[in-house]
Amino acid sequence: KAGVTQTPRYLIKTRGQQVTLSCSPISGHRSVSWYQQTPGQGLQFLFEYFSETQRNKGNFPGRFSGRQFSNSRSEMNVSTLELGDSALYLCASSLDPRTGSEQYFGPGTRLTVT
Amino acid sequence: EDQVTQSPEALRLQEGESSSLNCSYTVSGLRGLFWYRQDPGKGPEFLFTLYSAGEEKEKERLKATLTKKESFLHITAPKPEDSATYLCAVRSQGAQKLVFGQGTRLTINP
């Protein structure tokens, strides 16, 4: 069974630009969550989608947004990039968060903002 | 607010030297405690889920246990390939998100 895939794996952007990251969950998983990982802050929750609806959102500015499609694939977008947005962005999928099921992570997208 | 604290931050062991990693948590109604392993430059790899105090799970050289306030990840006779950062996370009854600790960076020397 294929795992969670994320594209692209690496990105270099300039301050002020915007970026879109993509995530394909494990087949049959309907929930997708996004996390930001930095050396200083560790893993921080961005948002979660289930059945195309955002169910939870972390404490990030409105520049961070996302969506989920009918096939459960998800995208996240960051507008007006800042240097502090440089991080590893991780996507995780689970069967149904309402049951407390575990999340499986993808390899991440390494975003560097210069 | 849900909180997770892991200790120690880093641990260096000799091959075969058993030890334990600690995860202390504060959560309003535990709906699951999760252990992950993360290698450099990769996404976290799921290891265990624990749901209630007294529960134990095992996988190869790893054993996870859970009390009402903390969880332990016991590593028995570790090998160099067990070197990684081990992350603990909790999910509370009132939220769907996972709250992660800062992790324990484990190094096993041959």
Side-chain angles (χ1 to χ4, degrees), chain A residues 9 35 37 40-43 45 48 55-56 88 90 97-107, chain B residues 31-32 34 36 38 41-46 49 51 87 91 94-102:
Chain A
R9 293 293 313 280
Y35 295 84
Q37 187 174 33
Q41 298 298 317
L43 269 153
F45 172 77
E48 180 204 2
R55 290 165 48 87
N56 290 279
L88 180 66
L90 293 159
R98 297 170 297 182
T99 63
S101 57
E102 58 271 10
Q103 296 182 3
Y104 293 89
F105 285 81
Chain B
R31 199 171 174 210
F34 305 84
Y36 289 85
Q38 186 174 26
K42 297 187 176 181
E45 174 190 344
F46 171 74
T49 307
Y51 290 105
L87 297 164
R91 176 186 281 142
Q96 302 298 335
K97 67 178 183 179
L98 291 181
V99 175
F100 282 85
Q102 292 288 69

Side-chain angles (χ1 to χ4, degrees), chain B residues 5 24-25 62 77-78 98:
Chain B
T5 303
S24 297
Y25 63 91
L62 300 176
L98 291 181

Side-chain angles (χ1 to χ4, degrees), chain A residues 27-111:
Chain A
S27 178
H29 285 194
R30 297 167 61 193
S31 173
V32 173
S33 298
W34 288 89
Y35 295 84
Q36 180 195 67
Q37 187 174 33
T38 59
Q41 298 298 317
L43 269 153
Q44 301 287 314
F45 172 77
L46 280 159
F47 28 66
E48 180 204 2
Y49 288 87
F50 179 68
S51 293
E52 301 179 66
T53 302
Q54 186 182 92
R55 290 165 48 87
N56 290 279
K57 191 174 191 304
N59 296 324
F60 280 82
R63 300 185 296 106
F64 292 81
S65 63
R67 59 177 176 169
Q68 186 180 35
F69 302 95
S70 58
N71 61 359
S72 295
R73 191 177 69 84
S74 177
E75 289 182 348
M76 69 163 280
N77 184 79
V78 187
S79 62
T80 320
L81 284 166
E82 300 177 359
L83 296 178
D85 297 333
S86 295
L88 180 66
Y89 289 88
L90 293 159
C91 164
S93 76
S94 63
L95 277 170
D96 185 342
R98 297 170 297 182
T99 63
S101 57
E102 58 271 10
Q103 296 182 3
Y104 293 89
F105 285 81
T109 294
R110 171 73 63 184
L111 172 64

